[in-house]
Amino acid sequence: QVQLQEAGPGLVKPSGTLSLTCAVSSDSFSSINWWSWVRQPPGKGLEWLGQIYYTGSAHYNPSLKTRVTISLDKSKNQLSLRVNSVTAADTAMYYCARHLSYSFGFWGQGALVTVSS
Amino acid sequence: QSALTQPASVSGSPGQSITISCTGTSSDFGPCNCVSWYQHHPGEAPKLMIYDVSDRPSGISNRFSGSKSGNTASLTISGLQAEDEADYYCTSYTSSDTYVFGTGTKVTVL
């Protein structure tokens, strides 16, 4: 069973950088997979942030491309997300997910990040 | 990229069937049958219900089915049950190697 667990600061100051990690069960991380980050602002719908392949190749949501970076650390079985220059609009529940074909087949429980001074 | 369009809400009585639509452009739906559907209960992680337009992951009830015609995908829930009450989202892999979610549909079991 694939297991993913997000972690990171729950509070980030405006104009700062949001950083989250996603711990992945080791057997899953060693196989060929795509991984994504998805977020949901309070009271709003789901938004795809970007994806990364096990080789490190990444694609990003065009609306966030200049502010988002997704990376892999295979030695730590870990997926990371960075969002720069955050505002209150970046307040959301953030999820990491492993793909199943062209879908998000396995999800973490999510990490709530609030942007506030 | 704009979100795919879904009805804000759909309701039905227990045992009935309901269908949720998901409309976009030809670019939104890309070169493949890459539409998926998610069930989202508040406070929980979203759950994959349908992938590749009409395939069900292991453990998902056959009461859930998916289809696609042109630029509209659909999720049908048959034999509606109280536990099906949730938010549902479609998503598609686009021709730009990105994903786009639908606006979301709240399903209410009357």
Side-chain angles (χ1 to χ4, degrees), chain B residues 40-96:
Chain B
H40 193 196
H41 288 109
E44 299 181 7
K47 181 179 181 180
L48 177 65
M49 307 303 285
I50 295 287
Y51 69 100
D52 292 354
V53 173
S54 59
D55 289 343
R56 279 185 306 275
S58 174
I60 299 302
S61 170
N62 60 9
R63 297 188 299 105
F64 293 85
S65 62
S67 63
K68 178 175 172 286
S69 178
N71 292 331
T72 297
S74 299
L75 173 71
T76 298
I77 309 174
S78 58
L80 199 62
Q81 299 179 1
E83 67 206 51
D84 300 331
E85 188 162 291
D87 295 324
Y88 290 81
Y89 294 89
C90 62
T91 192
S92 178
Y93 187 62
T94 77
S95 58
S96 301

Side-chain angles (χ1 to χ4, degrees), chain A residues 15-85:
Chain A
S15 78
T17 298
L18 180 160
S19 295
L20 292 173
T21 60
C22 173
V24 179
S25 53
S26 58
D27 58 345
S28 178
F29 211 71
S30 62
S31 57
I32 297 173
N33 279 304
W34 283 94
W35 308 83
S36 275
W37 285 94
V38 175
R39 71 180 181 182
Q40 184 178 36
K44 297 187 177 182
L46 298 170
E47 179 181 35
W48 176 77
L49 302 181
Q51 65 175 352
I52 189 165
Y53 197 40
Y54 81 111
T55 59
S57 174
H59 301 120
Y60 298 104
N61 185 323
S63 66
L64 295 162
K65 186 174 183 178
T66 60
R67 298 197 298 125
V68 173
T69 303
I70 297 174
S71 59
L72 289 174
D73 187 333
K74 296 178 184 177
S75 66
K76 296 181 179 178
N77 293 329
Q78 190 170 277
L79 178 69
S80 297
L81 171 73
R82 287 173 57 90
V83 182
N84 299 323
S85 304

